[in-house]
Amino acid sequence: MTGPKTGTIKTLREGFGFISREGIEKDLFFHAKDLVGVTFEELKLGDSLSFEVEETQKGNAAKKVSRS
């Protein structure tokens, strides 16, 4: 499951959040360490993001996350 995808920030917590994707029920986890070109503090709920999806031991997660 690679290649650029898009979504919007649904939840922000301390150092991580979840991305909502159109047509996909389950939200996607992302961590602040996977941000590119933006800091975690600059993000707001509803921001549009682009990212790649990577399979991890805990399920799918967003990597190479940036504002779109």
Side-chain angles (χ1 to χ4, degrees):
M1 298 177 111
T2 59
K5 309 286 184 202
T6 59
T8 57
I9 298 175
K10 182 175 181 180
T11 306
L12 288 172
R13 301 273 190 248
E14 193 172 317
F16 68 93
F18 289 90
I19 299 168
S20 174
R21 299 174 288 166
E22 189 173 325
I24 299 176
E25 190 173 323
K26 188 172 183 178
D27 296 334
L28 189 64
F29 173 84
F30 75 94
H31 192 276
K33 69 178 175 61
D34 295 307
L35 295 173
V36 177
V38 64
T39 66
F40 189 81
E41 293 74 24
E42 295 174 306
L43 298 177
K44 298 180 198 128
L45 293 179
D47 280 354
S48 293
L49 300 176
S50 60
F51 50 89
E52 292 183 11
V53 177
E54 183 177 286
E55 290 185 44
T56 70
Q57 292 178 345
K58 296 182 179 182
N60 290 337
K63 303 292 181 182
K64 299 181 183 176
V65 180
S66 62
R67 280 196 178 135
S68 51

